[in-house]
Amino acid sequence: MAEAAAARLITKIVDAQASRGSASVVLTGGRNGNGLLAALAAAPARDAIDWARLDLWWGDERFLPEGHPDRNVTQAKAALLDAVPLDPGRVHAMPASDGPYGSDVDAAAEGYAAELAKAAASEPHGQVPTFDVLMLGVGPDTHVASLFPELPAVRETDRTVVGVHGAPKPPPTRVTLTLPAIRAAREVWLLAAGEDKAGAAAIALSGAGEIQAPAAGAHGRQRTLWLLDTAAASQLPRTLYPPASP
């Protein structure tokens, strides 16, 4: 799944750069997100990307000190980013707990929202750029980014970035994009590999509500793509499969 997703992402970035001059991608962490980045690092076709004309954002971040091994940006650097010639000014990491906002996670979220709004200033629809691809890992509980079932962040309808307090998986304090920000992307890709993701994929794709199953509320303006391996797809309703050939 990681290799197939990496190949798709290379094509999407190259196409966006060819048509608009640059590309904008939102990265995700976790097992599937980091696996994709590692596959991209190993792909010979990665050199087709003009890395200096690529903006990178994050869907969420663990609110930990800069360089902490559990931060998504730290893991992304190890998997790929340190190996490619990115423009540092176009790598938009979410604030750390020892950064300019100190330990105030809500102020850190407001700061990232302001950075998104500044990048979107030339676009007509407002507060976030039109990301070419926004990637999300899907948790076994159907969470995406740091939007967990029933918690306040998944209910947010106005703000684009919020601080998360009391997340059910460690660390409890996080920064996350909200569903309105996620839905600004041209394409949203949901990544799920492994048997432990099968139930979540089935629930999200069976008409569940976004408050109870946040993955069900993540969709792009032009396309929503689920990228699953065989194990993660094992519980999908048969109605989602194409009809058999006669």
Side-chain angles (χ1 to χ4, degrees), residues 37 49 204 210:
L37 294 181
I49 296 172
E210 63 194 38

Side-chain angles (χ1 to χ4, degrees), residues 4-199:
R8 283 179 178 269
L9 184 60
I10 291 169
T11 299
K12 185 58 63 175
I13 292 171
V14 170
D15 287 349
Q17 290 178 335
S19 61
R20 289 183 289 276
S22 63
S24 180
V25 172
V26 179
L27 300 180
T28 185
R31 182 180 74 210
N32 295 154
N34 290 323
L36 184 153
L37 294 181
L40 183 52
R46 80 178 200 191
D47 294 334
I49 296 172
D50 185 342
W51 294 98
R53 293 191 292 130
L54 177 64
D55 281 285
L56 293 178
W57 303 86
W58 271 262
D60 74 322
E61 186 56 275
R62 294 145 178 167
F63 198 55
L64 297 167
E66 186 70 33
H68 193 287
D70 288 343
R71 272 176 61 83
N72 288 334
V73 65
T74 305
Q75 296 173 4
K77 287 179 177 179
L80 171 68
L81 307 191
D82 285 345
V84 292
L86 292 159
D87 176 352
R90 301 182 79 159
V91 178
H92 308 274
M94 287 181 163
S97 61
D98 58 352
Y101 305 99
S103 60
D104 189 339
V105 68
D106 297 311
E110 290 176 7
Y112 202 67
E115 188 172 353
L116 285 164
K118 181 178 179 181
S122 62
E123 301 187 26
H125 58 80
Q127 296 304 303
V128 293
T130 305
F131 310 116
D132 291 294
V133 176
L134 185 149
M135 294 182 290
L136 297 166
V138 179
D141 61 354
T142 74
H143 84 266
V144 290
S146 285
L147 302 174
F148 293 92
E150 304 284 355
L151 292 191
V154 77
R155 301 176 184 271
E156 180 63 45
T157 59
D158 295 321
R159 292 176 293 173
T160 58
V161 189
V162 295
V164 176
H165 305 265
K169 61 180 295 187
T173 308
R174 296 156 175 256
V175 179
T176 187
L177 298 188
T178 61
L179 286 176
I182 289 169
R183 292 168 181 162
R186 288 186 175 90
E187 297 194 9
V188 169
W189 296 5
L190 296 107
L191 314 175
E195 188 176 354
D196 61 325
K197 305 297 180 73

